[in-house]
Amino acid sequence: MTENVHVISAAMVPFGKHRSSSYVGLAVPPLIEALRSAGIDKSDVDAVWVGHSYGGMMTGQRICKEIGLGTVPTVNVDNACSGGATAVHEAWEAISRGLIDVAVVIGVEKLTQFGGGTLPLSPEDREVKQGIVMPAVYAMRATRYLYETDATPEDLALVSVKARKHGALNPFAQFRQEVTVEQVLTSRPVADPLTLLMCCPTGDGAAVVVLASDRARARLGARGMRVAASILHSGQVAEGFRDMTSPEISAHSARDAYEAAGIGPEDLDMIELHDAFSIAELVYYETFGLAERGRAIDLIRDGRTSFGGDVVVNPSGGLLAKGHPVGASGVAQIVEAFWQLTGVAGDRQIEDARWAMTHVTGGGTAGLDHGACTIHLFEAA
């Protein structure tokens, strides 16, 4: 028997450069707020999952002990950028199988500890040894996409312009100033054709959600949103040629999520997707069935993925504006979905929002499209 699972509370700290904060210092405030707004006590929590990549051993236990949350299972999850969302998937699975009633999921990361630059990757990976880093991978994707379609660098810039416009409405975003196409195109080159403003910033942050079964939600009298689908896939090894403009792991995950929820892309009111670089958003429009192959440019040029359009993509500002503290990002996406579907998103509220998708991938590994992909679909309750 599969139990319904609901997100009944969500909280986060503003993403940014919190150089004086620790992992514990970042995570404790939203943890306290999420428990408070859910109307639950520490004794109501059956288990805790914590997504992070660089926090070290027992990060979750160090966080929970600060508020006296102990004895229950506390599990640390590392799945690269998909770590926080993977933690939510694990909590969803435990509740849906009837093993527990209430779970807390924390996503947290402090990237300023590295002093800037690209994220450290595994030195054992053969492509990393050759100098492959994430900006280089996405620059190759962008180059190929521009070659195969009618897209131009201006279209890549439009993605960043939209992200910053949305981020300007979000008090939790790392960047809150709008930019122009010209500013994006003339910002510092990173990896041709990508410029600095086409790349997400590193930073620090934490986000927390509380998940509950039907029974617990009824007992608490909590509002929230129903988890209609929770999908986690790892990449399939494929040596040799791979179409970098068609991410199969995300396509397969979206297909399975739509099937599990019984909806299609036309039903979505919002999507929080993994826009680590501007090209990614255009590619995912097509991957998720929002546009035909090569026609993502029609959506971005016509403003159909912003407020008042067909579907609002990254109303939070996405990774490009909100920031990308990797372990926290997947949970923060769900926080945004919760605020939108419960009608408390303020200046960026999507009118009558009912269906939301969150999507995050993790890990660049030789031979794999991505190491992991987690997609969630939510329905307003």
Side-chain angles (χ1 to χ4, degrees):
M1 179 178 179
T2 301
E3 301 280 349
N4 278 325
V5 181
H6 306 268
V7 179
I8 63 169
S9 179
M12 63 182 288
V13 296
F15 284 3
K17 308 289 188 182
H18 300 285
R19 301 184 191 279
S20 62
S21 293
S22 63
Y23 274 74
V24 173
L26 289 166
V28 165
L31 173 58
I32 293 172
E33 173 58 23
L35 293 175
R36 184 202 64 78
S37 61
I40 64 175
D41 190 73
K42 292 173 291 186
S43 61
D44 295 311
V45 178
D46 296 316
V48 179
W49 279 265
V50 182
H52 66 91
S53 290
Y54 302 106
M57 291 188 294
M58 298 298 172
T59 296
Q61 285 82 349
R62 297 200 312 270
I63 293 167
C64 291
K65 80 177 181 66
E66 291 298 314
I67 67 166
L69 176 54
T71 73
V72 300
T74 300
V75 181
N76 293 278
V77 178
D78 171 15
N79 225 359
C81 303
S82 197
T86 299
V88 173
H89 173 79
E90 294 298 302
W92 166 84
E93 185 170 49
I95 296 174
S96 68
R97 292 172 59 193
L99 302 178
I100 61 174
D101 276 326
V102 177
V104 169
V105 180
I106 303 166
V108 59
E109 208 74 79
K110 181 176 171 63
L111 297 181
T112 52
Q113 65 182 297
F114 300 117
T118 61
L119 294 179
L121 302 175
S122 172
E124 300 175 358
D125 188 279
R126 67 175 186 269
E127 291 185 351
V128 173
K129 287 181 179 179
Q130 300 300 316
I132 283 290
V133 291
M134 287 296 105
V137 171
Y138 281 91
M140 287 190 286
R141 281 189 175 139
T143 299
R144 190 68 193 180
Y145 189 82
L146 296 184
Y147 174 78
E148 292 186 352
T149 71
D150 296 329
T152 67
E154 284 75 14
D155 295 310
L156 301 179
L158 283 173
V159 174
S160 299
V161 169
K162 177 179 69 69
R164 290 296 192 96
K165 181 179 179 181
H166 292 182
L169 301 173
N170 184 3
F172 294 88
Q174 185 165 338
F175 292 139
R176 300 196 60 203
Q177 285 188 323
E178 294 190 35
V179 295
T180 65
V181 168
E182 182 180 7
Q183 286 174 313
V184 176
L185 292 174
T186 58
S187 62
R188 177 168 60 84
V190 172
D192 188 58
L194 301 179
T195 66
L196 184 65
L197 295 184
M198 296 178 188
C199 308
C200 70
T202 58
D204 314 318
V208 180
V209 293
V210 177
L211 281 70
S213 65
D214 271 337
R215 293 183 300 275
R217 180 171 176 260
R219 183 180 75 245
L220 295 166
R223 59 187 308 206
M225 61 185 185
R226 181 177 70 90
V227 184
S230 181
I231 304 296
L232 171 63
H233 285 317
S234 291
Q236 175 63 45
V237 177
E239 302 294 352
F241 173 78
R242 167 173 264 130
D243 185 352
M244 298 184 74
T245 68
S246 181
E248 65 265 21
I249 188 173
S250 292
H252 297 162
S253 298
R255 175 201 63 202
D256 292 349
Y258 290 143
E259 182 178 349
I263 67 168
E266 67 280 359
D267 297 304
L268 295 172
D269 298 296
M270 64 159 285
I271 304 173
E272 283 281 316
L273 58 75
H274 192 114
D275 61 327
F277 300 86
S278 57
I279 180 57
E281 183 162 324
L282 296 179
V283 168
Y284 289 133
Y285 288 175
E286 299 169 14
T287 302
F288 297 154
L290 304 178
E292 297 294 330
R293 175 85 168 179
R295 301 315 306 174
I297 55 177
D298 298 333
L299 300 186
I300 195 66
R301 290 175 182 177
D302 296 342
R304 289 161 55 193
T305 54
S306 189
F307 297 99
D310 299 345
V311 56
V312 185
V313 176
N314 292 334
S316 70
L319 308 186
L320 286 169
K322 185 174 61 183
H324 187 25
V326 293
S329 291
V331 182
Q333 290 178 333
I334 295 172
V335 171
E336 179 68 19
F338 178 84
W339 286 340
Q340 291 287 351
L341 296 194
T342 57
V344 297
D347 291 341
R348 64 189 186 284
Q349 180 64 53
I350 302 167
E351 186 176 357
D352 299 324
R354 182 187 174 197
W355 286 99
M357 171 192 278
T358 63
H359 156 265
V360 61
T361 61
T365 304
L368 301 180
D369 173 24
H370 278 104
C373 177
T374 314
I375 286 183
H376 286 94
L377 290 175
F378 302 99
E379 182 183 21

